[in-house]
């Protein structure tokens, strides 16, 4: 059994081998005062804070390496190209892809899903076909498929969820048919925290020859991900949710699939040759990276992955699981708190409502106490509909959070109650 007082008093987790006090020193923003109180940042599912090593790496790039990539023979261009491409290899190793050419840099998860819908979907989905998603998707893994289905006369099908916020796995075989052209599912729900059995769904889809895209936006920063072990065909994530900068993300795609599908956007760098009669395309992954990419973003992402690996994803997962248990126990002790999403396999995220008080009011008052949470539908309106609520308050944790911060949240919720009494 883990000892809360160890976490509370020292934040030095011998049991979990993670030194939170030291880690917090790496994140300059965590010393910010909000309305005179220490910032308690519990909005990590929206975006994570950045360690100094990431901030400094981006500065160094602009101070001494800035140039366009893949184009110049001059010194700076070669340095920038080398720095950018070395991150591709870093990402490959991070998610255990087979080859660096399976790593496509994109703006984020949203762009990754749109890329697959517009390329794979364009050539593989036709009238009467189906795309299968789940009832707990973020809008960015719903709307691109809806747009595609509308255009093609195809149909979007949905794996339902239980009252606890788990996928109804038994429903999956019946939802897969010869008409299903792709399955696109989230690894971890941003609105419920559920960790989905994606490997099992991939197995069921592959038995029928159907490829699977996994939305890993909420997963990569919280658990080790191995795309070969999962056996997924596409995997998408955003840099800013894993302590890297905004505007950079990753689409992993199996090389044979990426080779078979058309480009996403046309422009510089994605071509092999251009004449007015015919253009031939560059090899993968460059075929999907038209125009000058977010070079500084990719380099910053590389520094973020180094940082996360220096802490260790296994340790991060265990520590965050401890935070989740602590927060769940504390919040569950109040009768007026309803936790939405009670799956046994959960990431460190709690969606909840305080009886009779609108989530936006809760969030606004929590902000007076320096506590940053997200309130609203979390870009997952169908999840809100499923649970019959307009919105929730969401506290989402990272490995720099502490049990003390959870206590501050609980105390501040007491103040919310006083205001609305
Ligand atoms: N969720 C949240 O507060 P982008 O915006 O492209 O980096 O990520 C989109 C996205 C896709 N899938 C999941 C599961 C997500 O959680 C998100 C982003 C944030 O929950 C911002 S809405």
């Amino acid at each position: 059994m883990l000892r809360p007082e160890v976490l509370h008093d020292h934040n030095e987790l011998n049991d979990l081998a993670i030194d939170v006090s030291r880690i917090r020193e790496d994140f300059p923003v965590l010393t910010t005062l909000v309305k005179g109180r220490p910032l308690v940042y519990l909005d990590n599912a929206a975006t994570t804070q950045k360690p100094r090593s990431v901030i400094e790496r981006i500065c160094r790039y602009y101070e001494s390496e800035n140039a366009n990539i893949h184009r110049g023979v001059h010194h700076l261009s070669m340095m920038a190209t080398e720095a950018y491409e070395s991150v591709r290899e870093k990402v490959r190793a991070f998610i255990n892809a087979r080859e660096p050419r399976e790593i496509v840099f994109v703006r984020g998860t949203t762009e990754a899903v749109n890329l697959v819908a517009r390329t794979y979907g364009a050539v593989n989905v036709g009238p009467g076909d189906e795309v299968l998603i789940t009832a707990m998707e973020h809008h960015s893994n719903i709307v691109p498929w809806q747009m595609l289905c509308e255009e093609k006369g195809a149909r979007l099908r949905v794996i339902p969820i239980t009252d606890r916020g788990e996928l109804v796995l038994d429903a999956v075989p019946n939802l897969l048919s010869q008409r299903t052209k792709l399955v696109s599912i989230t690894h971890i729900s941003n609105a419920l925290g559920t960790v989905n059995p994606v490997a099992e769904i991939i197995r069921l889809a592959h038995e029928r020859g159907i490829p699977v895209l996994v939305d890993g936006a909420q997963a990569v920063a919280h658990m080790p991900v191995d795309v070969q072990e999962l056996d997924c065909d596409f995997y998408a994530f955003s840099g800013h949710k894993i302590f890297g900068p905004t505007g950079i993300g990753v689409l992993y795609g199996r090389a044979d699939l990426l080779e078979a599908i058309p480009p996403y956007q046309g422009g510089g760098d994605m071509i092999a040759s251009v004449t007015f009669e015919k253009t031939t395309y560059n090899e993968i992954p460059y075929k999907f990276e038209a125009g000058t990419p977010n070079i500084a973003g990719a380099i910053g992402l590389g520094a973020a992955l180094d940082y996360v690996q220096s802490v260790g994803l296994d340790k991060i997962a265990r520590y965050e699981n401890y935070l989740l248990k602590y927060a769940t126990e504390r919040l569950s002790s109040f009768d007026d708190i309803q936790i939405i999403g009670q799956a046994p396999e959960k990431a460190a995220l709690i969606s909840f409502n305080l009886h009779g008080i609108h989530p936006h009011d809760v969030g606004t008052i929590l902000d007076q106490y320096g506590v940053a949470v997200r309130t609203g539908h979390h870009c997952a309106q169908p999840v809100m509909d499923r649970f019959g609520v307009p919105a929730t308050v969401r506290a989402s944790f990272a490995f720099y959070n502490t049990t003390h911060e959870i206590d501050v949240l609980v105390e501040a919720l007491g103040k919310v109650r006083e205001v609305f009494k």
Side-chain angles (χ1 to χ4, degrees), residues 43-47 107-113 136-141 186-191 215-219 236-241 246-249 349 374 377-380 394 396:
D43 196 16
N44 294 286
T47 198
R107 278 194 297 133
T109 309
T110 303
E111 188 171 53
V113 178
M136 62 173 85
E137 298 308 321
H138 184 277
H139 296 164
S140 65
N141 199 26
T186 193
H187 203 162
I188 293 180
S189 158
N190 71 316
D215 170 352
Q218 296 295 345
F237 67 91
S238 304
H240 71 98
K241 293 196 201 283
T246 51
I248 187 74
L349 174 167
R374 183 168 173 191
H377 53 57
H378 315 296
C379 301
R394 185 188 68 187
S396 54

Side-chain angles (χ1 to χ4, degrees), residues 227-248:
V227 291
Q228 290 191 61
E229 200 178 298
L230 287 177
D231 198 24
C232 57
D233 304 278
F234 298 104
Y235 196 96
F237 67 91
S238 304
H240 71 98
K241 293 196 201 283
I242 184 163
F243 314 100
T246 51
I248 187 74

